[in-house]
Amino acid sequence: MLWSHPVSPGDRLIIRFTHSVDKTDVDEVIRVGKEELIIDSTVYQSFGAGLPSTLHDRETMKLEGGKMRIDHINRSQKSIDLFIGQVVANHKLVVDGKVIPLKKLSPPGTSVRLSVGRENLFSYLRRCLFSGGTLAFSE
């Protein structure tokens, strides 16, 4: 385990990266479920390669503060795998207002997995003493 943090269902976090073409930030807003992560919304400045341009199901799109925002994505994931960008992406995790550059957890070009789960009391206490909680990045 590279990093962990205590969370509760309903908490939100952001995976932030720089778009390789537009060089603007993209925020993927993630909501914590019981034992899953739910992709809640995405925020970006302009349409570009790999960014959503169509809506699905109950998704809505609006212009907010000069940025596009797609809400109600509601895609449940047991885990989210990321390759830490080597050149432009500069992936970051934003939790409780704290910005954590992923390249400080693992070298650029490596993959990490973000997941959430419950722990038994012994594991939780051990993890809290050394690293903090149950939202976790692992290699």
Side-chain angles (χ1 to χ4, degrees):
M1 181 151 330
L2 300 171
W3 178 87
S4 65
H5 183 76
V7 293
S8 298
D11 287 354
R12 293 181 192 274
L13 56 117
I14 296 170
I15 297 172
R16 178 172 292 153
F17 63 93
T18 303
H19 189 272
S20 61
V21 177
D22 293 335
K23 307 293 192 275
T24 58
D25 282 343
V26 176
D27 285 355
E28 297 288 347
V29 181
I30 312 297
R31 188 174 69 245
V32 175
K34 254 187 157 175
E35 292 190 17
E36 72 277 353
L37 298 167
I38 303 158
I39 301 170
D40 187 66
S41 58
T42 187
V43 181
Y44 53 92
Q45 195 156 338
S46 61
F47 293 107
L51 295 175
S53 59
T54 58
L55 300 177
H56 304 282
D57 300 321
R58 294 187 170 109
E59 294 175 358
T60 59
M61 181 183 285
K62 63 183 172 183
L63 184 61
E64 183 178 86
K67 295 184 177 188
M68 300 303 299
R69 180 180 181 96
I70 298 177
D71 287 310
H72 311 294
I73 296 172
N74 291 322
R75 276 195 206 109
S76 179
Q77 306 286 311
K78 280 293 188 190
S79 61
I80 297 173
D81 295 330
L82 292 169
F83 284 96
I84 299 175
Q86 296 182 49
V87 181
V88 177
N90 196 21
H91 288 91
K92 300 174 186 99
L93 181 66
V94 182
V95 180
D96 294 334
K98 183 178 178 184
V99 179
I100 301 144
L102 297 187
K103 65 185 176 186
K104 289 193 174 191
L105 300 178
S106 190
T110 60
S111 64
V112 293
R113 173 170 285 170
L114 178 64
S115 60
V116 65
R118 298 173 81 53
E119 294 181 291
N120 65 46
L121 182 58
F122 176 75
S123 295
Y124 176 76
L125 291 173
R126 185 178 55 147
R127 192 171 317 283
C128 286
L129 290 174
F130 299 106
S131 65
T134 60
L135 175 66
F137 266 111
S138 56
E139 291 183 290

